PDB file of all heavy atoms in Angstrom:
ATOM      1  N   LEU N 192    -109.899  14.010 -41.398  1.00 44.00           N
ATOM      2  CA  LEU N 192    -109.473  14.987 -42.377  1.00 44.00           C
ATOM      3  C   LEU N 192    -108.002  15.389 -42.094  1.00 44.00           C
ATOM      4  O   LEU N 192    -107.188  15.564 -43.001  1.00 44.00           O
ATOM      5  CB  LEU N 192    -110.372  16.183 -42.346  1.00 44.00           C
ATOM      6  CG  LEU N 192    -111.715  15.972 -42.982  1.00 44.00           C
ATOM      7  CD1 LEU N 192    -112.627  17.171 -42.765  1.00 44.00           C
ATOM      8  CD2 LEU N 192    -111.647  15.686 -44.506  1.00 44.00           C
ATOM      9  N   TYR N 195    -105.705  12.266 -43.058  1.00 42.00           N
ATOM     10  CA  TYR N 195    -105.641  11.907 -44.430  1.00 42.00           C
ATOM     11  C   TYR N 195    -105.347  13.095 -45.378  1.00 42.00           C
ATOM     12  O   TYR N 195    -104.780  12.901 -46.477  1.00 42.00           O
ATOM     13  CB  TYR N 195    -106.929  11.215 -44.882  1.00 42.00           C
ATOM     14  CG  TYR N 195    -106.996   9.828 -44.363  1.00 42.00           C
ATOM     15  CD1 TYR N 195    -107.678   9.501 -43.169  1.00 42.00           C
ATOM     16  CD2 TYR N 195    -106.378   8.744 -45.006  1.00 42.00           C
ATOM     17  CE1 TYR N 195    -107.791   8.216 -42.682  1.00 42.00           C
ATOM     18  CE2 TYR N 195    -106.451   7.456 -44.528  1.00 42.00           C
ATOM     19  CZ  TYR N 195    -107.136   7.214 -43.353  1.00 42.00           C
ATOM     20  OH  TYR N 195    -107.177   5.968 -42.841  1.00 42.00           O
ATOM     21  N   LEU N 196    -105.681  14.286 -44.959  1.00 44.00           N
ATOM     22  CA  LEU N 196    -105.419  15.427 -45.804  1.00 44.00           C
ATOM     23  C   LEU N 196    -104.289  16.306 -45.293  1.00 44.00           C
ATOM     24  O   LEU N 196    -103.669  17.087 -46.020  1.00 44.00           O
ATOM     25  CB  LEU N 196    -106.650  16.335 -45.918  1.00 44.00           C
ATOM     26  CG  LEU N 196    -107.868  15.752 -46.627  1.00 44.00           C
ATOM     27  CD1 LEU N 196    -109.005  16.750 -46.696  1.00 44.00           C
ATOM     28  CD2 LEU N 196    -107.484  15.268 -48.034  1.00 44.00           C
ATOM     29  N   GLY N 197    -103.987  16.218 -43.958  1.00 48.00           N
ATOM     30  CA  GLY N 197    -103.037  17.117 -43.362  1.00 48.00           C
ATOM     31  C   GLY N 197    -103.776  18.152 -42.525  1.00 48.00           C
ATOM     32  O   GLY N 197    -104.940  18.401 -42.676  1.00 48.00           O
ATOM     33  N   GLY N 198    -103.055  18.774 -41.576  1.00 49.00           N
ATOM     34  CA  GLY N 198    -103.626  19.725 -40.662  1.00 49.00           C
ATOM     35  C   GLY N 198    -104.262  20.940 -41.310  1.00 49.00           C
ATOM     36  O   GLY N 198    -105.488  21.229 -41.139  1.00 49.00           O
ATOM     37  N   ASP N 199    -103.543  21.629 -42.155  1.00 52.00           N
ATOM     38  CA  ASP N 199    -104.042  22.843 -42.780  1.00 52.00           C
ATOM     39  C   ASP N 199    -105.156  22.505 -43.805  1.00 52.00           C
ATOM     40  O   ASP N 199    -106.189  23.125 -43.863  1.00 52.00           O
ATOM     41  CB  ASP N 199    -102.938  23.621 -43.452  1.00 52.00           C
ATOM     42  CG  ASP N 199    -103.384  24.984 -43.974  1.00 52.00           C
ATOM     43  OD1 ASP N 199    -103.882  25.778 -43.155  1.00 52.00           O
ATOM     44  OD2 ASP N 199    -103.329  25.162 -45.200  1.00 52.00           O
ATOM     45  N   ALA N 200    -104.912  21.502 -44.605  1.00 49.00           N
ATOM     46  CA  ALA N 200    -105.897  21.119 -45.630  1.00 49.00           C
ATOM     47  C   ALA N 200    -107.166  20.629 -44.950  1.00 49.00           C
ATOM     48  O   ALA N 200    -108.255  20.932 -45.435  1.00 49.00           O
ATOM     49  CB  ALA N 200    -105.321  19.992 -46.527  1.00 49.00           C
ATOM     50  N   GLY N 201    -107.051  19.839 -43.854  1.00 43.00           N
ATOM     51  CA  GLY N 201    -108.228  19.377 -43.173  1.00 43.00           C
ATOM     52  C   GLY N 201    -109.031  20.553 -42.627  1.00 43.00           C
ATOM     53  O   GLY N 201    -110.290  20.516 -42.730  1.00 43.00           O
ATOM     54  N   LYS N 202    -108.364  21.553 -42.096  1.00 49.00           N
ATOM     55  CA  LYS N 202    -109.130  22.730 -41.567  1.00 49.00           C
ATOM     56  C   LYS N 202    -109.835  23.450 -42.702  1.00 49.00           C
ATOM     57  O   LYS N 202    -110.944  23.921 -42.501  1.00 49.00           O
ATOM     58  CB  LYS N 202    -108.155  23.638 -40.874  1.00 49.00           C
ATOM     59  CG  LYS N 202    -107.581  23.121 -39.570  1.00 49.00           C
ATOM     60  CD  LYS N 202    -106.573  24.049 -38.983  1.00 49.00           C
ATOM     61  CE  LYS N 202    -105.954  23.485 -37.683  1.00 49.00           C
ATOM     62  NZ  LYS N 202    -104.889  24.365 -37.143  1.00 49.00           N
ATOM     63  N   ARG N 203    -109.156  23.535 -43.853  1.00 48.00           N
ATOM     64  CA  ARG N 203    -109.797  24.267 -44.998  1.00 48.00           C
ATOM     65  C   ARG N 203    -111.069  23.502 -45.406  1.00 48.00           C
ATOM     66  O   ARG N 203    -112.079  24.162 -45.718  1.00 48.00           O
ATOM     67  CB  ARG N 203    -108.791  24.322 -46.151  1.00 48.00           C
ATOM     68  CG  ARG N 203    -107.627  25.291 -45.918  1.00 48.00           C
ATOM     69  CD  ARG N 203    -106.559  25.096 -47.021  1.00 48.00           C
ATOM     70  NE  ARG N 203    -105.407  25.901 -46.784  1.00 48.00           N
ATOM     71  CZ  ARG N 203    -105.183  27.082 -47.313  1.00 48.00           C
ATOM     72  NH1 ARG N 203    -106.034  27.577 -48.186  1.00 48.00           N
ATOM     73  NH2 ARG N 203    -104.074  27.802 -47.043  1.00 48.00           N
ATOM     74  N   VAL N 204    -111.047  22.209 -45.454  1.00 44.00           N
ATOM     75  CA  VAL N 204    -112.231  21.437 -45.884  1.00 44.00           C
ATOM     76  C   VAL N 204    -113.308  21.600 -44.835  1.00 44.00           C
ATOM     77  O   VAL N 204    -114.509  21.776 -45.145  1.00 44.00           O
ATOM     78  CB  VAL N 204    -111.817  19.974 -46.072  1.00 44.00           C
ATOM     79  CG1 VAL N 204    -113.074  19.097 -46.290  1.00 44.00           C
ATOM     80  CG2 VAL N 204    -110.931  19.809 -47.283  1.00 44.00           C
ATOM     81  N   LEU N 205    -112.952  21.448 -43.543  1.00 42.00           N
ATOM     82  CA  LEU N 205    -113.960  21.607 -42.450  1.00 42.00           C
ATOM     83  C   LEU N 205    -114.581  22.986 -42.470  1.00 42.00           C
ATOM     84  O   LEU N 205    -115.743  23.191 -42.085  1.00 42.00           O
ATOM     85  CB  LEU N 205    -113.342  21.333 -41.090  1.00 42.00           C
ATOM     86  CG  LEU N 205    -113.105  19.884 -40.768  1.00 42.00           C
ATOM     87  CD1 LEU N 205    -112.320  19.741 -39.408  1.00 42.00           C
ATOM     88  CD2 LEU N 205    -114.456  19.156 -40.626  1.00 42.00           C
ATOM     89  N   GLY N 207    -115.348  24.652 -45.040  1.00 43.00           N
ATOM     90  CA  GLY N 207    -116.239  24.823 -46.138  1.00 43.00           C
ATOM     91  C   GLY N 207    -115.606  24.892 -47.508  1.00 43.00           C
ATOM     92  O   GLY N 207    -116.268  25.071 -48.499  1.00 43.00           O
ATOM     93  N   GLN N 208    -114.297  24.714 -47.620  1.00 44.00           N
ATOM     94  CA  GLN N 208    -113.631  24.723 -48.909  1.00 44.00           C
ATOM     95  C   GLN N 208    -113.755  23.329 -49.557  1.00 44.00           C
ATOM     96  O   GLN N 208    -112.751  22.639 -49.646  1.00 44.00           O
ATOM     97  CB  GLN N 208    -112.198  25.177 -48.726  1.00 44.00           C
ATOM     98  CG  GLN N 208    -111.528  25.663 -50.028  1.00 44.00           C
ATOM     99  CD  GLN N 208    -110.158  26.306 -49.728  1.00 44.00           C
ATOM    100  OE1 GLN N 208    -110.035  26.989 -48.719  1.00 44.00           O
ATOM    101  NE2 GLN N 208    -109.192  26.151 -50.638  1.00 44.00           N
ATOM    102  N   ILE N 209    -114.924  23.009 -50.071  1.00 45.00           N
ATOM    103  CA  ILE N 209    -115.213  21.637 -50.448  1.00 45.00           C
ATOM    104  C   ILE N 209    -115.647  21.533 -51.908  1.00 45.00           C
ATOM    105  O   ILE N 209    -115.797  20.439 -52.399  1.00 45.00           O
ATOM    106  CB  ILE N 209    -116.278  21.032 -49.554  1.00 45.00           C
ATOM    107  CG1 ILE N 209    -117.566  21.844 -49.584  1.00 45.00           C
ATOM    108  CG2 ILE N 209    -115.769  20.905 -48.124  1.00 45.00           C
ATOM    109  CD1 ILE N 209    -118.730  21.207 -48.849  1.00 45.00           C
ATOM    110  N   ARG N 210    -115.869  22.629 -52.586  1.00 48.00           N
ATOM    111  CA  ARG N 210    -116.323  22.545 -53.970  1.00 48.00           C
ATOM    112  C   ARG N 210    -115.139  22.408 -54.935  1.00 48.00           C
ATOM    113  O   ARG N 210    -114.047  22.957 -54.684  1.00 48.00           O
ATOM    114  CB  ARG N 210    -117.168  23.802 -54.321  1.00 48.00           C
ATOM    115  CG  ARG N 210    -118.538  23.802 -53.635  1.00 48.00           C
ATOM    116  CD  ARG N 210    -119.360  24.945 -54.189  1.00 48.00           C
ATOM    117  NE  ARG N 210    -118.741  26.212 -53.911  1.00 48.00           N
ATOM    118  CZ  ARG N 210    -118.904  26.932 -52.817  1.00 48.00           C
ATOM    119  NH1 ARG N 210    -119.687  26.447 -51.862  1.00 48.00           N
ATOM    120  NH2 ARG N 210    -118.313  28.127 -52.659  1.00 48.00           N
ATOM    121  N   GLY N 212    -112.611  23.256 -57.535  1.00 47.00           N
ATOM    122  CA  GLY N 212    -112.101  24.537 -57.973  1.00 47.00           C
ATOM    123  C   GLY N 212    -111.838  25.511 -56.840  1.00 47.00           C
ATOM    124  O   GLY N 212    -111.225  26.526 -57.044  1.00 47.00           O
ATOM    125  N   ASP N 213    -112.396  25.192 -55.604  1.00 52.00           N
ATOM    126  CA  ASP N 213    -112.095  26.038 -54.458  1.00 52.00           C
ATOM    127  C   ASP N 213    -110.612  25.996 -54.161  1.00 52.00           C
ATOM    128  O   ASP N 213    -110.008  24.888 -54.172  1.00 52.00           O
ATOM    129  CB  ASP N 213    -112.851  25.594 -53.231  1.00 52.00           C
ATOM    130  CG  ASP N 213    -114.277  26.026 -53.236  1.00 52.00           C
ATOM    131  OD1 ASP N 213    -114.665  26.863 -54.105  1.00 52.00           O
ATOM    132  OD2 ASP N 213    -115.077  25.566 -52.390  1.00 52.00           O
ATOM    133  N   GLY N 214    -109.990  27.109 -53.888  1.00 55.00           N
ATOM    134  CA  GLY N 214    -108.562  27.072 -53.580  1.00 55.00           C
ATOM    135  C   GLY N 214    -107.947  28.456 -53.641  1.00 55.00           C
ATOM    136  O   GLY N 214    -108.685  29.457 -53.808  1.00 55.00           O
ATOM    137  N   GLU N 215    -106.676  28.512 -53.529  1.00 64.00           N
ATOM    138  CA  GLU N 215    -105.925  29.802 -53.604  1.00 64.00           C
ATOM    139  C   GLU N 215    -104.516  29.549 -53.982  1.00 64.00           C
ATOM    140  O   GLU N 215    -104.056  28.374 -53.998  1.00 64.00           O
ATOM    141  CB  GLU N 215    -105.968  30.498 -52.248  1.00 64.00           C
ATOM    142  CG  GLU N 215    -105.333  29.679 -51.115  1.00 64.00           C
ATOM    143  CD  GLU N 215    -105.402  30.429 -49.784  1.00 64.00           C
ATOM    144  OE1 GLU N 215    -104.957  31.532 -49.731  1.00 64.00           O
ATOM    145  OE2 GLU N 215    -105.894  29.826 -48.786  1.00 64.00           O
ATOM    146  N   ILE N 217    -100.623  30.080 -53.028  1.00 77.00           N
ATOM    147  CA  ILE N 217     -99.779  30.438 -51.851  1.00 77.00           C
ATOM    148  C   ILE N 217     -98.341  30.269 -52.284  1.00 77.00           C
ATOM    149  O   ILE N 217     -97.996  29.654 -53.291  1.00 77.00           O
ATOM    150  CB  ILE N 217    -100.116  29.486 -50.664  1.00 77.00           C
ATOM    151  CG1 ILE N 217     -99.730  28.054 -51.033  1.00 77.00           C
ATOM    152  CG2 ILE N 217    -101.552  29.579 -50.268  1.00 77.00           C
ATOM    153  CD1 ILE N 217     -99.739  27.091 -49.843  1.00 77.00           C
ATOM    154  N   GLU N 262     -95.857  20.630 -43.559  1.00 82.00           N
ATOM    155  CA  GLU N 262     -96.996  19.697 -43.581  1.00 82.00           C
ATOM    156  C   GLU N 262     -96.825  18.732 -44.746  1.00 82.00           C
ATOM    157  O   GLU N 262     -96.552  19.141 -45.905  1.00 82.00           O
ATOM    158  CB  GLU N 262     -98.271  20.493 -43.751  1.00 82.00           C
ATOM    159  CG  GLU N 262     -99.510  19.660 -43.747  1.00 82.00           C
ATOM    160  CD  GLU N 262    -100.769  20.480 -43.843  1.00 82.00           C
ATOM    161  OE1 GLU N 262    -100.718  21.653 -43.527  1.00 82.00           O
ATOM    162  OE2 GLU N 262    -101.875  19.898 -44.207  1.00 82.00           O
ATOM    163  N   ILE N 263     -96.982  17.441 -44.464  1.00 80.00           N
ATOM    164  CA  ILE N 263     -97.034  16.440 -45.508  1.00 80.00           C
ATOM    165  C   ILE N 263     -98.408  16.594 -46.214  1.00 80.00           C
ATOM    166  O   ILE N 263     -99.426  16.369 -45.613  1.00 80.00           O
ATOM    167  CB  ILE N 263     -96.902  14.999 -44.991  1.00 80.00           C
ATOM    168  CG1 ILE N 263     -95.551  14.852 -44.244  1.00 80.00           C
ATOM    169  CG2 ILE N 263     -97.025  13.963 -46.151  1.00 80.00           C
ATOM    170  CD1 ILE N 263     -94.349  14.905 -45.135  1.00 80.00           C
ATOM    171  N   LEU N 264     -98.352  17.011 -47.465  1.00 76.00           N
ATOM    172  CA  LEU N 264     -99.604  17.236 -48.168  1.00 76.00           C
ATOM    173  C   LEU N 264    -100.111  15.988 -48.832  1.00 76.00           C
ATOM    174  O   LEU N 264    -101.333  15.773 -48.879  1.00 76.00           O
ATOM    175  CB  LEU N 264     -99.359  18.353 -49.220  1.00 76.00           C
ATOM    176  CG  LEU N 264    -100.623  18.952 -49.806  1.00 76.00           C
ATOM    177  CD1 LEU N 264    -101.475  19.524 -48.711  1.00 76.00           C
ATOM    178  CD2 LEU N 264    -100.287  20.049 -50.849  1.00 76.00           C
ATOM    179  N   SER N 265     -99.241  15.149 -49.314  1.00 75.00           N
ATOM    180  CA  SER N 265     -99.732  13.899 -49.939  1.00 75.00           C
ATOM    181  C   SER N 265     -98.572  12.869 -49.981  1.00 75.00           C
ATOM    182  O   SER N 265     -97.418  13.222 -50.040  1.00 75.00           O
ATOM    183  CB  SER N 265    -100.264  14.214 -51.350  1.00 75.00           C
ATOM    184  OG  SER N 265     -99.207  14.718 -52.166  1.00 75.00           O
ATOM    185  N   LEU N 272     -94.963  14.626 -50.755  1.00 86.00           N
ATOM    186  CA  LEU N 272     -94.830  16.028 -51.018  1.00 86.00           C
ATOM    187  C   LEU N 272     -95.096  16.782 -49.748  1.00 86.00           C
ATOM    188  O   LEU N 272     -96.210  16.629 -49.142  1.00 86.00           O
ATOM    189  CB  LEU N 272     -95.806  16.462 -52.125  1.00 86.00           C
ATOM    190  CG  LEU N 272     -95.884  18.003 -52.382  1.00 86.00           C
ATOM    191  CD1 LEU N 272     -94.569  18.561 -52.856  1.00 86.00           C
ATOM    192  CD2 LEU N 272     -97.029  18.334 -53.319  1.00 86.00           C
ATOM    193  N   MET N 329    -100.654  26.417 -56.434  1.00 75.00           N
ATOM    194  CA  MET N 329    -102.082  26.470 -56.248  1.00 75.00           C
ATOM    195  C   MET N 329    -102.505  25.385 -55.275  1.00 75.00           C
ATOM    196  O   MET N 329    -102.008  24.247 -55.381  1.00 75.00           O
ATOM    197  CB  MET N 329    -102.749  26.293 -57.622  1.00 75.00           C
ATOM    198  CG  MET N 329    -102.589  27.480 -58.549  1.00 75.00           C
ATOM    199  SD  MET N 329    -103.315  27.199 -60.174  1.00 75.00           S
ATOM    200  CE  MET N 329    -101.985  26.161 -60.919  1.00 75.00           C
ATOM    201  N   PHE N 330    -103.317  25.786 -54.348  1.00 65.00           N
ATOM    202  CA  PHE N 330    -103.648  24.895 -53.214  1.00 65.00           C
ATOM    203  C   PHE N 330    -105.189  24.809 -53.175  1.00 65.00           C
ATOM    204  O   PHE N 330    -105.911  25.767 -52.934  1.00 65.00           O
ATOM    205  CB  PHE N 330    -103.155  25.570 -51.975  1.00 65.00           C
ATOM    206  CG  PHE N 330    -103.003  24.702 -50.756  1.00 65.00           C
ATOM    207  CD1 PHE N 330    -102.244  23.523 -50.852  1.00 65.00           C
ATOM    208  CD2 PHE N 330    -103.588  25.008 -49.567  1.00 65.00           C
ATOM    209  CE1 PHE N 330    -102.064  22.739 -49.697  1.00 65.00           C
ATOM    210  CE2 PHE N 330    -103.475  24.208 -48.442  1.00 65.00           C
ATOM    211  CZ  PHE N 330    -102.693  23.065 -48.518  1.00 65.00           C
ATOM    212  N   GLY N 331    -105.726  23.598 -53.469  1.00 63.00           N
ATOM    213  CA  GLY N 331    -107.171  23.501 -53.461  1.00 63.00           C
ATOM    214  C   GLY N 331    -107.710  22.204 -53.950  1.00 63.00           C
ATOM    215  O   GLY N 331    -107.003  21.180 -54.057  1.00 63.00           O
ATOM    216  N   ASN N 332    -109.023  22.163 -54.319  1.00 60.00           N
ATOM    217  CA  ASN N 332    -109.750  20.969 -54.700  1.00 60.00           C
ATOM    218  C   ASN N 332    -109.729  20.828 -56.191  1.00 60.00           C
ATOM    219  O   ASN N 332    -110.028  21.686 -56.986  1.00 60.00           O
ATOM    220  CB  ASN N 332    -111.224  21.085 -54.298  1.00 60.00           C
ATOM    221  CG  ASN N 332    -111.405  20.993 -52.776  1.00 60.00           C
ATOM    222  OD1 ASN N 332    -110.898  20.067 -52.135  1.00 60.00           O
ATOM    223  ND2 ASN N 332    -112.082  21.974 -52.206  1.00 60.00           N
ATOM    224  N   VAL N 333    -109.332  19.574 -56.616  1.00 56.00           N
ATOM    225  CA  VAL N 333    -109.412  19.155 -58.023  1.00 56.00           C
ATOM    226  C   VAL N 333    -109.910  17.744 -58.079  1.00 56.00           C
ATOM    227  O   VAL N 333    -109.909  17.019 -57.106  1.00 56.00           O
ATOM    228  CB  VAL N 333    -108.016  19.266 -58.709  1.00 56.00           C
ATOM    229  CG1 VAL N 333    -107.523  20.666 -58.778  1.00 56.00           C
ATOM    230  CG2 VAL N 333    -107.014  18.402 -57.958  1.00 56.00           C
ATOM    231  N   GLY N 334    -110.393  17.345 -59.260  1.00 56.00           N
ATOM    232  CA  GLY N 334    -110.843  16.003 -59.472  1.00 56.00           C
ATOM    233  C   GLY N 334    -112.157  15.901 -60.150  1.00 56.00           C
ATOM    234  O   GLY N 334    -112.528  16.799 -60.907  1.00 56.00           O
ATOM    235  N   ARG N 338    -115.696  13.040 -56.691  1.00 48.00           N
ATOM    236  CA  ARG N 338    -114.505  12.436 -56.096  1.00 48.00           C
ATOM    237  C   ARG N 338    -113.360  13.455 -56.205  1.00 48.00           C
ATOM    238  O   ARG N 338    -112.722  13.597 -57.240  1.00 48.00           O
ATOM    239  CB  ARG N 338    -114.138  11.155 -56.830  1.00 48.00           C
ATOM    240  CG  ARG N 338    -112.852  10.462 -56.325  1.00 48.00           C
ATOM    241  CD  ARG N 338    -112.997  10.089 -54.806  1.00 48.00           C
ATOM    242  NE  ARG N 338    -111.832   9.363 -54.357  1.00 48.00           N
ATOM    243  CZ  ARG N 338    -110.723   9.929 -53.839  1.00 48.00           C
ATOM    244  NH1 ARG N 338    -110.725  11.247 -53.709  1.00 48.00           N
ATOM    245  NH2 ARG N 338    -109.727   9.238 -53.388  1.00 48.00           N
ATOM    246  N   LEU N 339    -113.122  14.186 -55.092  1.00 51.00           N
ATOM    247  CA  LEU N 339    -112.108  15.240 -55.097  1.00 51.00           C
ATOM    248  C   LEU N 339    -110.872  14.894 -54.259  1.00 51.00           C
ATOM    249  O   LEU N 339    -110.940  13.989 -53.419  1.00 51.00           O
ATOM    250  CB  LEU N 339    -112.727  16.499 -54.509  1.00 51.00           C
ATOM    251  CG  LEU N 339    -113.948  17.132 -55.257  1.00 51.00           C
ATOM    252  CD1 LEU N 339    -114.536  18.214 -54.434  1.00 51.00           C
ATOM    253  CD2 LEU N 339    -113.570  17.570 -56.670  1.00 51.00           C
ATOM    254  N   THR N 340    -109.786  15.592 -54.542  1.00 57.00           N
ATOM    255  CA  THR N 340    -108.646  15.547 -53.677  1.00 57.00           C
ATOM    256  C   THR N 340    -108.204  16.964 -53.397  1.00 57.00           C
ATOM    257  O   THR N 340    -108.392  17.872 -54.206  1.00 57.00           O
ATOM    258  CB  THR N 340    -107.501  14.744 -54.345  1.00 57.00           C
ATOM    259  OG1 THR N 340    -106.390  14.613 -53.400  1.00 57.00           O
ATOM    260  CG2 THR N 340    -106.957  15.439 -55.571  1.00 57.00           C
ATOM    261  N   PHE N 341    -107.651  17.173 -52.263  1.00 60.00           N
ATOM    262  CA  PHE N 341    -107.139  18.484 -51.862  1.00 60.00           C
ATOM    263  C   PHE N 341    -105.664  18.431 -51.861  1.00 60.00           C
ATOM    264  O   PHE N 341    -105.034  17.665 -51.167  1.00 60.00           O
ATOM    265  CB  PHE N 341    -107.656  18.828 -50.438  1.00 60.00           C
ATOM    266  CG  PHE N 341    -107.637  20.306 -50.128  1.00 60.00           C
ATOM    267  CD1 PHE N 341    -108.774  21.065 -50.234  1.00 60.00           C
ATOM    268  CD2 PHE N 341    -106.427  20.961 -49.797  1.00 60.00           C
ATOM    269  CE1 PHE N 341    -108.794  22.422 -49.975  1.00 60.00           C
ATOM    270  CE2 PHE N 341    -106.436  22.308 -49.527  1.00 60.00           C
ATOM    271  CZ  PHE N 341    -107.587  23.055 -49.633  1.00 60.00           C
ATOM    272  N   SER N 342    -105.013  19.236 -52.791  1.00 64.00           N
ATOM    273  CA  SER N 342    -103.589  19.084 -52.972  1.00 64.00           C
ATOM    274  C   SER N 342    -102.978  20.387 -53.484  1.00 64.00           C
ATOM    275  O   SER N 342    -103.717  21.373 -53.700  1.00 64.00           O
ATOM    276  CB  SER N 342    -103.286  17.940 -53.946  1.00 64.00           C
ATOM    277  OG  SER N 342    -101.938  17.699 -54.022  1.00 64.00           O
ATOM    278  N   ALA N 343    -101.678  20.363 -53.646  1.00 65.00           N
ATOM    279  CA  ALA N 343    -100.968  21.485 -54.237  1.00 65.00           C
ATOM    280  C   ALA N 343    -100.577  21.102 -55.675  1.00 65.00           C
ATOM    281  O   ALA N 343    -100.201  19.940 -55.937  1.00 65.00           O
ATOM    282  CB  ALA N 343     -99.709  21.816 -53.456  1.00 65.00           C
ATOM    283  N   PHE N 344    -100.699  21.996 -56.560  1.00 70.00           N
ATOM    284  CA  PHE N 344    -100.353  21.737 -57.950  1.00 70.00           C
ATOM    285  C   PHE N 344     -99.914  22.999 -58.643  1.00 70.00           C
ATOM    286  O   PHE N 344    -100.002  24.108 -58.058  1.00 70.00           O
ATOM    287  CB  PHE N 344    -101.527  21.111 -58.689  1.00 70.00           C
ATOM    288  CG  PHE N 344    -102.826  21.802 -58.470  1.00 70.00           C
ATOM    289  CD1 PHE N 344    -103.284  22.796 -59.293  1.00 70.00           C
ATOM    290  CD2 PHE N 344    -103.624  21.490 -57.371  1.00 70.00           C
ATOM    291  CE1 PHE N 344    -104.506  23.439 -59.076  1.00 70.00           C
ATOM    292  CE2 PHE N 344    -104.819  22.143 -57.096  1.00 70.00           C
ATOM    293  CZ  PHE N 344    -105.278  23.118 -58.010  1.00 70.00           C
TER     294      PHE N 344
END
Side-chain angles (χ1 to χ4, degrees):
L192 288 172
Y195 286 96
L196 295 182
D199 187 61
K202 291 177 183 177
R203 290 170 184 261
V204 171
L205 282 174
Q208 198 169 324
I209 59 174
R210 291 188 297 272
D213 281 350
E215 61 180 305
I217 65 170
E262 181 177 342
I263 300 293
L264 195 57
S265 61
L272 171 65
M329 290 176 281
F330 198 56
N332 289 308
V333 294
R338 178 61 175 90
L339 299 173
T340 186
F341 201 99
S342 187
F344 45 94

